[in-house]
Amino acid sequence: MPNIGAPGYILLIILALLLFGPNKLPELGRAVGRTFREFKNGARDILSEDERTERKESQDSVVQASQTTSSEVQPQPEDKRLS
């Protein structure tokens, strides 16, 4: 993919100024910034939600495994000699 370079950026800036005018460009920049920020926050929330779900599932499996092994172990009779 070819690089745009400095002349390409200058042409894009001039084109944007002609299309939107100098008063609208700051508003458009803020809107684009807010959009990216919201997208980043949403993606971060989804990823953290997935991690919490995975941690909870792994903790549940550990608890189930410990309950299974503790119910399989027979209780030992108390030693009356120590009392």
Side-chain angles (χ1 to χ4, degrees):
M1 184 172 188
N3 292 334
I4 295 176
Y9 285 122
I10 292 171
L11 182 64
L12 286 174
I13 291 170
I14 292 172
L15 183 66
L17 280 171
L18 289 174
L19 286 176
F20 300 110
N23 295 334
K24 286 285 187 183
L25 283 181
E27 294 174 21
L28 288 172
R30 279 190 287 275
V32 169
R34 275 188 234 120
T35 303
F36 283 136
R37 194 175 317 117
E38 289 294 324
F39 178 77
K40 189 169 84 173
N41 290 340
R44 187 180 304 133
D45 288 344
I46 290 172
L47 291 175
S48 66
E49 193 174 292
D50 288 344
E51 289 174 2
R52 280 183 286 196
T53 304
E54 288 175 3
R55 271 192 240 130
K56 187 175 183 317
E57 288 174 353
S58 67
Q59 288 174 352
D60 289 346
S61 64
V62 169
V63 169
Q64 288 176 350
S66 67
Q67 288 175 349
T68 304
T69 57
S70 65
S71 65
E72 293 173 355
V73 175
Q74 297 295 327
Q76 298 293 326
E78 291 184 29
D79 193 2
K80 301 290 182 176
R81 293 179 290 176
L82 297 176
S83 304

Coordinates of all heavy atoms in Angstrom, one line a residue:
M1 N 0.9 -1.2 0.0 CA 0.0 0.0 0.0 C 0.9 1.2 0.0 O 1.8 1.4 0.9 CB -0.9 0.0 1.2 CG -1.9 1.1 1.3 SD -3.0 0.7 2.7 CE -4.2 2.0 2.4
P2 N 0.7 2.1 -0.9 CA 1.6 3.3 -1.0 C 1.3 4.3 0.1 O 0.2 4.4 0.6 CB 1.2 3.9 -2.4 CG -0.1 3.4 -2.7 CD -0.2 2.1 -2.0
N3 N 2.3 5.0 0.5 CA 2.2 6.0 1.5 C 1.6 7.3 0.9 O 1.9 7.6 -0.2 CB 3.6 6.4 2.2 CG 4.1 5.2 3.0 OD1 3.3 4.4 3.5 ND2 5.4 5.1 3.1
I4 N 0.9 8.0 1.7 CA 0.2 9.3 1.3 C 1.3 10.4 1.1 O 1.3 11.1 0.1 CB -0.9 9.7 2.2 CG1 -2.0 8.7 2.1 CG2 -1.5 11.1 1.8 CD1 -3.2 8.9 3.1
G5 N 2.1 10.5 2.2 CA 3.1 11.6 2.2 C 2.6 12.9 2.5 O 1.4 13.2 2.6
A6 N 3.5 13.9 2.6 CA 3.2 15.3 2.9 C 2.3 16.0 1.9 O 1.3 16.6 2.3 CB 4.4 16.1 3.2
P7 N 2.5 15.8 0.6 CA 1.6 16.5 -0.4 C 0.2 15.9 -0.3 O -0.8 16.7 -0.5 CB 2.3 16.2 -1.7 CG 3.7 15.9 -1.4 CD 3.7 15.3 -0.1
G8 N 0.1 14.7 0.0 CA -1.3 14.1 0.1 C -2.0 14.6 1.2 O -3.2 14.9 1.2
Y9 N -1.3 14.8 2.4 CA -2.0 15.3 3.6 C -2.4 16.8 3.3 O -3.5 17.2 3.7 CB -1.1 15.2 4.8 CG -1.0 13.8 5.4 CD1 0.3 13.2 5.5 CD2 -2.1 13.1 5.8 CE1 0.4 11.9 6.0 CE2 -2.0 11.9 6.3 CZ -0.8 11.2 6.4 OH -0.7 10.0 6.9
I10 N -1.5 17.5 2.7 CA -1.9 18.9 2.4 C -3.1 19.0 1.5 O -4.0 19.8 1.7 CB -0.7 19.6 1.8 CG1 0.5 19.8 2.8 CG2 -1.1 21.0 1.3 CD1 1.8 20.3 2.3
L11 N -3.2 18.1 0.5 CA -4.3 18.1 -0.4 C -5.6 17.7 0.4 O -6.7 18.3 0.2 CB -4.0 17.1 -1.5 CG -5.1 17.0 -2.6 CD1 -5.3 18.4 -3.3 CD2 -4.8 15.9 -3.6
L12 N -5.5 16.8 1.3 CA -6.7 16.4 2.1 C -7.1 17.5 3.0 O -8.3 17.7 3.1 CB -6.3 15.1 2.9 CG -6.2 13.8 2.2 CD1 -5.8 12.7 3.1 CD2 -7.6 13.5 1.6
I13 N -6.2 18.3 3.6 CA -6.6 19.4 4.4 C -7.3 20.5 3.6 O -8.3 21.0 4.1 CB -5.3 19.9 5.2 CG1 -4.9 18.9 6.2 CG2 -5.6 21.2 5.9 CD1 -3.5 19.2 6.8
I14 N -6.7 20.8 2.5 CA -7.4 21.8 1.6 C -8.7 21.3 1.2 O -9.7 22.1 1.2 CB -6.5 22.1 0.4 CG1 -5.2 22.8 0.9 CG2 -7.2 22.9 -0.6 CD1 -4.1 23.0 -0.2
L15 N -8.9 20.1 0.8 CA -10.2 19.5 0.4 C -11.2 19.6 1.6 O -12.4 20.0 1.4 CB -10.0 18.1 -0.1 CG -11.3 17.4 -0.6 CD1 -11.7 18.1 -1.9 CD2 -11.0 16.0 -0.9
A16 N -10.7 19.3 2.8 CA -11.6 19.3 4.0 C -12.1 20.8 4.2 O -13.2 21.0 4.6 CB -10.9 18.7 5.2
L17 N -11.1 21.7 4.1 CA -11.5 23.1 4.3 C -12.5 23.6 3.3 O -13.4 24.3 3.7 CB -10.2 24.0 4.3 CG -9.3 24.0 5.5 CD1 -8.0 24.7 5.2 CD2 -10.1 24.7 6.6
L18 N -12.3 23.2 2.1 CA -13.3 23.6 1.0 C -14.7 23.0 1.3 O -15.7 23.6 1.0 CB -12.8 23.2 -0.4 CG -11.6 24.0 -0.9 CD1 -11.1 23.4 -2.2 CD2 -12.0 25.5 -1.0
L19 N -14.7 21.7 1.7 CA -16.0 21.0 1.9 C -16.7 21.5 3.1 O -17.9 21.7 3.1 CB -15.8 19.5 2.0 CG -15.5 18.8 0.7 CD1 -15.2 17.3 0.9 CD2 -16.6 18.9 -0.3
F20 N -16.0 21.6 4.2 CA -16.7 21.9 5.5 C -16.5 23.3 6.0 O -17.3 23.8 6.8 CB -16.2 20.9 6.6 CG -16.4 19.5 6.2 CD1 -15.4 18.7 5.9 CD2 -17.7 19.0 6.2 CE1 -15.6 17.3 5.6 CE2 -17.9 17.6 5.9 CZ -16.9 16.8 5.6
G21 N -15.5 24.0 5.6 CA -15.3 25.4 6.0 C -14.5 25.3 7.3 O -14.5 24.3 8.1
P22 N -13.8 26.4 7.6 CA -12.9 26.5 8.8 C -13.7 26.4 10.1 O -13.1 26.0 11.1 CB -12.2 27.8 8.7 CG -13.0 28.6 7.7 CD -13.7 27.7 6.9
N23 N -15.0 26.8 10.2 CA -15.7 26.8 11.4 C -16.2 25.4 11.8 O -16.4 25.1 13.0 CB -16.9 27.7 11.3 CG -16.5 29.2 11.1 OD1 -15.4 29.5 11.6 ND2 -17.4 30.0 10.5
K24 N -16.5 24.6 10.8 CA -17.0 23.2 11.1 C -15.9 22.2 11.4 O -16.2 21.2 12.1 CB -17.8 22.7 9.9 CG -19.1 23.3 9.8 CD -20.1 22.8 10.8 CE -21.5 23.3 10.6 NZ -22.4 22.9 11.6
L25 N -14.7 22.4 11.0 CA -13.6 21.4 11.2 C -13.3 21.1 12.7 O -13.2 19.9 13.0 CB -12.3 21.9 10.5 CG -12.3 21.6 9.0 CD1 -11.0 22.1 8.4 CD2 -12.6 20.2 8.6
P26 N -13.3 22.1 13.6 CA -13.1 21.7 15.0 C -14.2 20.9 15.6 O -14.0 20.0 16.3 CB -13.0 23.1 15.7 CG -12.6 24.1 14.7 CD -13.2 23.5 13.4
E27 N -15.4 21.2 15.2 CA -16.6 20.4 15.6 C -16.5 19.0 15.1 O -16.8 18.0 15.8 CB -17.9 21.1 15.1 CG -18.2 22.4 15.7 CD -19.4 23.0 15.1 OE1 -20.3 22.3 14.5 OE2 -19.5 24.3 15.2
L28 N -16.1 18.8 13.9 CA -15.9 17.5 13.3 C -14.8 16.7 14.0 O -15.0 15.5 14.3 CB -15.6 17.6 11.8 CG -16.8 18.0 10.9 CD1 -16.3 18.2 9.5 CD2 -17.9 16.9 10.9
G29 N -13.7 17.4 14.3 CA -12.6 16.8 15.0 C -13.1 16.3 16.4 O -12.7 15.2 16.8
R30 N -13.8 17.1 17.1 CA -14.3 16.7 18.5 C -15.3 15.5 18.3 O -15.2 14.6 19.2 CB -15.0 17.9 19.1 CG -14.1 18.9 19.8 CD -14.8 19.9 20.6 NE -15.6 20.9 19.9 CZ -15.1 22.0 19.4 NH1 -13.8 22.3 19.6 NH2 -15.8 22.8 18.7
A31 N -16.1 15.5 17.3 CA -17.1 14.4 17.2 C -16.3 13.1 16.9 O -16.7 12.1 17.4 CB -18.0 14.8 16.0
V32 N -15.3 13.2 16.0 CA -14.5 12.0 15.7 C -13.8 11.5 17.0 O -13.7 10.3 17.3 CB -13.5 12.3 14.6 CG1 -12.5 11.2 14.4 CG2 -14.3 12.5 13.3
G33 N -13.2 12.5 17.8 CA -12.6 12.1 19.0 C -13.5 11.4 20.0 O -13.1 10.4 20.6
R34 N -14.7 12.0 20.1 CA -15.7 11.3 21.0 C -16.1 9.9 20.5 O -16.2 9.0 21.4 CB -16.9 12.2 21.1 CG -16.8 13.3 22.1 CD -18.2 14.0 22.3 NE -17.9 15.4 22.1 CZ -18.5 16.2 21.1 NH1 -19.4 15.7 20.3 NH2 -18.2 17.4 21.0
T35 N -16.2 9.8 19.2 CA -16.6 8.5 18.7 C -15.5 7.5 19.0 O -15.8 6.3 19.4 CB -16.8 8.6 17.2 OG1 -17.8 9.6 16.9 CG2 -17.2 7.3 16.5
F36 N -14.2 7.8 18.8 CA -13.1 6.9 19.0 C -13.1 6.6 20.5 O -12.8 5.4 20.9 CB -11.8 7.5 18.6 CG -11.6 7.4 17.1 CD1 -11.1 8.4 16.4 CD2 -11.9 6.2 16.4 CE1 -10.9 8.3 15.0 CE2 -11.7 6.1 15.0 CZ -11.2 7.2 14.3
R37 N -13.3 7.6 21.4 CA -13.2 7.3 22.8 C -14.3 6.4 23.3 O -14.1 5.5 24.1 CB -13.4 8.7 23.6 CG -13.0 8.6 25.0 CD -13.0 10.0 25.7 NE -12.4 11.0 24.9 CZ -13.1 12.1 24.5 NH1 -14.4 12.3 24.7 NH2 -12.5 13.0 23.8
E38 N -15.6 6.6 22.8 CA -16.7 5.7 23.1 C -16.4 4.3 22.6 O -16.7 3.3 23.3 CB -18.0 6.2 22.5 CG -18.5 7.5 23.2 CD -18.9 7.2 24.6 OE1 -19.4 6.1 24.9 OE2 -18.7 8.1 25.4
F39 N -15.9 4.2 21.4 CA -15.5 2.8 20.9 C -14.5 2.1 21.8 O -14.6 1.0 22.1 CB -15.0 3.0 19.5 CG -14.6 1.6 18.8 CD1 -15.6 0.8 18.4 CD2 -13.3 1.3 18.7 CE1 -15.2 -0.4 17.8 CE2 -12.9 0.1 18.2 CZ -13.9 -0.8 17.7
K40 N -13.5 2.9 22.2 CA -12.4 2.3 23.0 C -13.0 1.9 24.4 O -12.7 0.8 24.8 CB -11.3 3.3 23.2 CG -10.1 2.8 23.8 CD -8.9 3.8 23.7 CE -9.0 4.8 24.8 NZ -7.8 5.7 24.9
N41 N -13.8 2.7 25.0 CA -14.4 2.4 26.2 C -15.3 1.2 26.1 O -15.3 0.3 27.0 CB -15.2 3.6 26.8 CG -14.3 4.7 27.3 OD1 -13.1 4.5 27.5 ND2 -14.8 5.9 27.4
G42 N -16.1 1.1 25.1 CA -17.0 -0.1 24.8 C -16.2 -1.3 24.7 O -16.5 -2.4 25.2
A43 N -15.1 -1.3 23.9 CA -14.3 -2.5 23.7 C -13.6 -2.9 25.0 O -13.5 -4.1 25.3 CB -13.2 -2.2 22.6
R44 N -13.2 -1.9 25.8 CA -12.6 -2.2 27.1 C -13.6 -2.9 28.0 O -13.3 -3.9 28.7 CB -12.0 -1.0 27.7 CG -11.2 -1.2 29.0 CD -10.6 0.0 29.6 NE -9.9 0.8 28.7 CZ -10.0 2.1 28.5 NH1 -10.9 2.8 29.2 NH2 -9.2 2.7 27.6
D45 N -14.8 -2.4 28.0 CA -15.9 -3.0 28.9 C -16.2 -4.4 28.4 O -16.3 -5.3 29.3 CB -17.1 -2.2 28.8 CG -17.0 -0.8 29.5 OD1 -16.1 -0.7 30.3 OD2 -17.9 0.0 29.2
I46 N -16.2 -4.7 27.1 CA -16.5 -6.0 26.7 C -15.4 -7.0 27.1 O -15.6 -8.1 27.5 CB -16.7 -6.0 25.1 CG1 -18.0 -5.3 24.8 CG2 -16.7 -7.4 24.6 CD1 -18.3 -5.1 23.3
L47 N -14.1 -6.5 26.9 CA -13.0 -7.4 27.2 C -13.0 -7.7 28.7 O -12.7 -8.8 29.2 CB -11.7 -6.8 26.8 CG -11.5 -6.7 25.3 CD1 -10.2 -6.0 25.0 CD2 -11.4 -8.1 24.7
S48 N -13.2 -6.7 29.6 CA -13.2 -6.9 31.0 C -14.3 -7.8 31.4 O -14.2 -8.6 32.4 CB -13.2 -5.6 31.8 OG -14.4 -4.9 31.6
E49 N -15.5 -7.6 30.8 CA -16.6 -8.5 31.1 C -16.3 -10.0 30.8 O -16.6 -10.9 31.5 CB -17.8 -8.0 30.3 CG -19.1 -8.6 30.7 CD -20.3 -7.9 29.9 OE1 -20.5 -6.7 30.2 OE2 -20.9 -8.6 29.1
D50 N -15.6 -10.2 29.6 CA -15.2 -11.6 29.3 C -14.3 -12.1 30.3 O -14.4 -13.3 30.7 CB -14.6 -11.6 27.9 CG -15.6 -11.4 26.8 OD1 -16.8 -11.5 27.1 OD2 -15.2 -11.1 25.6
E51 N -13.3 -11.3 30.8 CA -12.3 -11.8 31.7 C -13.0 -12.1 33.1 O -12.7 -13.1 33.7 CB -11.3 -10.7 32.0 CG -10.3 -10.6 30.8 CD -9.4 -9.4 31.0 OE1 -9.4 -8.7 32.1 OE2 -8.6 -9.2 30.1
R52 N -14.0 -11.3 33.5 CA -14.7 -11.6 34.7 C -15.5 -12.9 34.6 O -15.5 -13.7 35.5 CB -15.6 -10.4 35.1 CG -15.0 -9.3 35.7 CD -16.0 -8.2 36.1 NE -16.3 -7.6 34.8 CZ -17.0 -6.5 34.7 NH1 -17.4 -5.8 35.7 NH2 -17.2 -6.0 33.5
T53 N -16.1 -13.1 33.4 CA -16.9 -14.3 33.2 C -15.9 -15.5 33.3 O -16.3 -16.6 33.9 CB -17.6 -14.3 31.9 OG1 -18.4 -13.1 31.8 CG2 -18.4 -15.5 31.6
E54 N -14.8 -15.5 32.6 CA -13.8 -16.6 32.7 C -13.4 -16.8 34.1 O -13.2 -18.0 34.5 CB -12.7 -16.3 31.7 CG -13.0 -16.3 30.3 CD -11.8 -15.9 29.4 OE1 -10.7 -15.6 30.0 OE2 -12.0 -15.8 28.2
R55 N -13.0 -15.8 34.8 CA -12.6 -16.0 36.2 C -13.7 -16.7 37.1 O -13.4 -17.5 37.8 CB -12.2 -14.7 36.8 CG -10.7 -14.3 36.6 CD -10.3 -13.2 37.5 NE -9.9 -12.1 36.6 CZ -10.3 -10.9 36.6 NH1 -11.1 -10.5 37.5 NH2 -9.9 -10.0 35.7
K56 N -14.9 -16.2 36.9 CA -16.0 -16.8 37.7 C -16.2 -18.2 37.3 O -16.4 -19.1 38.2 CB -17.3 -16.0 37.4 CG -18.4 -16.4 38.3 CD -19.6 -15.5 38.1 CE -20.8 -15.8 39.0 NZ -21.1 -17.1 39.2
E57 N -16.1 -18.6 36.0 CA -16.3 -20.0 35.6 C -15.2 -20.8 36.2 O -15.4 -21.9 36.6 CB -16.3 -20.0 34.1 CG -17.6 -19.5 33.5 CD -17.6 -19.5 32.0 OE1 -16.5 -19.7 31.4 OE2 -18.6 -19.2 31.4
S58 N -14.0 -20.3 36.2 CA -12.8 -21.1 36.7 C -13.0 -21.3 38.2 O -12.7 -22.4 38.8 CB -11.5 -20.5 36.4 OG -11.3 -19.3 37.0
Q59 N -13.5 -20.2 38.9 CA -13.7 -20.4 40.4 C -14.8 -21.4 40.7 O -14.7 -22.1 41.6 CB -14.0 -19.0 41.0 CG -12.8 -18.1 41.1 CD -13.2 -16.7 41.5 OE1 -14.4 -16.4 41.7 NE2 -12.2 -15.9 41.8
D60 N -15.9 -21.3 39.9 CA -17.0 -22.3 40.1 C -16.5 -23.7 39.9 O -16.9 -24.6 40.6 CB -18.1 -21.9 39.1 CG -18.8 -20.7 39.5 OD1 -18.7 -20.2 40.6 OD2 -19.6 -20.2 38.6
S61 N -15.6 -23.9 38.9 CA -15.2 -25.3 38.6 C -14.3 -25.8 39.8 O -14.3 -26.9 40.1 CB -14.4 -25.4 37.3 OG -13.2 -24.6 37.3
V62 N -13.5 -24.9 40.4 CA -12.6 -25.2 41.5 C -13.5 -25.6 42.7 O -13.3 -26.6 43.4 CB -11.6 -24.1 41.8 CG1 -11.0 -24.3 43.2 CG2 -10.6 -23.9 40.7
V63 N -14.5 -24.8 42.9 CA -15.4 -25.0 44.1 C -16.1 -26.4 43.9 O -16.3 -27.2 44.8 CB -16.5 -23.9 44.2 CG1 -17.6 -24.3 45.2 CG2 -15.8 -22.6 44.7
Q64 N -16.6 -26.6 42.6 CA -17.3 -27.9 42.4 C -16.3 -29.1 42.6 O -16.7 -30.1 43.1 CB -17.9 -27.9 41.0 CG -19.1 -27.0 40.8 CD -19.6 -27.0 39.4 OE1 -18.9 -27.5 38.5 NE2 -20.7 -26.4 39.2
A65 N -15.1 -28.9 42.1 CA -14.1 -30.0 42.3 C -13.8 -30.2 43.8 O -13.7 -31.4 44.2 CB -12.8 -29.7 41.5
S66 N -13.7 -29.2 44.6 CA -13.4 -29.4 46.0 C -14.6 -30.0 46.7 O -14.5 -30.8 47.6 CB -13.0 -28.1 46.6 OG -14.1 -27.2 46.6
Q67 N -15.8 -29.7 46.3 CA -17.0 -30.3 46.9 C -17.1 -31.7 46.5 O -17.5 -32.5 47.4 CB -18.3 -29.5 46.4 CG -18.4 -28.1 47.0 CD -19.6 -27.4 46.4 OE1 -20.2 -27.8 45.4 NE2 -20.0 -26.3 47.0
T68 N -16.8 -32.1 45.3 CA -16.8 -33.5 44.9 C -15.8 -34.3 45.7 O -16.1 -35.4 46.2 CB -16.5 -33.6 43.4 OG1 -17.4 -32.8 42.7 CG2 -16.6 -35.0 42.9
T69 N -14.6 -33.8 45.8 CA -13.6 -34.6 46.6 C -13.9 -34.6 48.0 O -13.6 -35.6 48.7 CB -12.2 -34.0 46.3 OG1 -12.2 -32.6 46.7 CG2 -11.7 -34.1 44.9
S70 N -14.4 -33.6 48.6 CA -14.7 -33.6 50.1 C -15.9 -34.5 50.4 O -15.9 -35.1 51.4 CB -15.0 -32.2 50.6 OG -16.2 -31.7 50.0
S71 N -16.8 -34.7 49.5 CA -17.9 -35.6 49.7 C -17.5 -37.1 49.5 O -18.1 -38.0 50.1 CB -19.1 -35.3 48.8 OG -18.8 -35.5 47.5
E72 N -16.5 -37.3 48.7 CA -16.0 -38.7 48.5 C -15.1 -39.2 49.6 O -15.0 -40.4 49.8 CB -15.2 -38.7 47.2 CG -16.1 -38.5 46.0 CD -15.2 -38.4 44.7 OE1 -14.0 -38.4 44.8 OE2 -15.8 -38.3 43.6
V73 N -14.5 -38.3 50.4 CA -13.6 -38.7 51.5 C -14.5 -39.1 52.7 O -15.4 -38.4 53.1 CB -12.7 -37.5 51.9 CG1 -11.9 -37.8 53.1 CG2 -11.9 -37.1 50.8
Q74 N -14.2 -40.3 53.2 CA -14.9 -40.8 54.4 C -14.4 -40.2 55.7 O -13.2 -40.0 55.8 CB -14.7 -42.4 54.5 CG -15.2 -43.1 53.3 CD -16.7 -43.0 53.2 OE1 -17.4 -42.9 54.2 NE2 -17.3 -43.0 52.0
P75 N -15.2 -39.8 56.6 CA -14.8 -39.2 57.8 C -14.0 -40.3 58.7 O -14.4 -41.4 58.7 CB -16.1 -38.8 58.5 CG -17.2 -39.5 57.8 CD -16.7 -39.9 56.5
Q76 N -13.0 -39.8 59.3 CA -12.2 -40.7 60.1 C -12.8 -40.7 61.5 O -13.2 -39.7 62.0 CB -10.7 -40.2 60.2 CG -10.0 -40.2 58.8 CD -9.8 -41.6 58.3 OE1 -9.6 -42.5 59.1 NE2 -9.9 -41.8 57.0
P77 N -12.8 -41.9 62.2 CA -13.3 -41.9 63.6 C -12.3 -41.2 64.5 O -11.1 -41.2 64.3 CB -13.4 -43.4 63.9 CG -12.5 -44.1 62.9 CD -12.5 -43.2 61.7
E78 N -12.9 -40.6 65.5 CA -12.1 -39.8 66.4 C -11.3 -40.8 67.3 O -11.8 -41.8 67.7 CB -12.9 -38.9 67.3 CG -13.6 -37.8 66.5 CD -14.3 -36.9 67.4 OE1 -14.0 -36.7 68.6 OE2 -15.3 -36.3 66.9
D79 N -10.1 -40.4 67.6 CA -9.3 -41.2 68.5 C -9.6 -40.8 69.9 O -9.4 -39.7 70.4 CB -7.8 -40.9 68.2 CG -6.9 -42.0 68.8 OD1 -7.4 -42.9 69.5 OD2 -5.7 -41.8 68.7
K80 N -10.2 -41.8 70.7 CA -10.6 -41.5 72.1 C -9.5 -41.5 73.0 O -9.6 -41.0 74.1 CB -11.6 -42.6 72.5 CG -12.9 -42.7 71.6 CD -13.7 -41.4 71.8 CE -15.0 -41.6 71.0 NZ -15.9 -40.5 71.2
R81 N -8.3 -42.0 72.6 CA -7.2 -42.0 73.5 C -6.6 -40.7 73.9 O -6.0 -40.5 74.9 CB -6.1 -42.9 73.0 CG -6.5 -44.4 72.8 CD -5.4 -45.2 72.2 NE -5.2 -44.8 70.8 CZ -4.3 -45.2 70.0 NH1 -3.4 -46.0 70.4 NH2 -4.3 -44.9 68.7
L82 N -6.7 -39.7 72.9 CA -6.2 -38.4 73.1 C -7.0 -37.5 74.1 O -6.5 -36.5 74.6 CB -6.0 -37.7 71.8 CG -5.0 -38.3 70.8 CD1 -5.0 -37.6 69.5 CD2 -3.6 -38.4 71.4
S83 N -8.2 -37.9 74.4 CA -9.0 -37.0 75.3 C -8.8 -37.2 76.7 O -8.4 -38.1 77.3 CB -10.5 -37.3 75.0 OG -10.8 -37.2 73.6

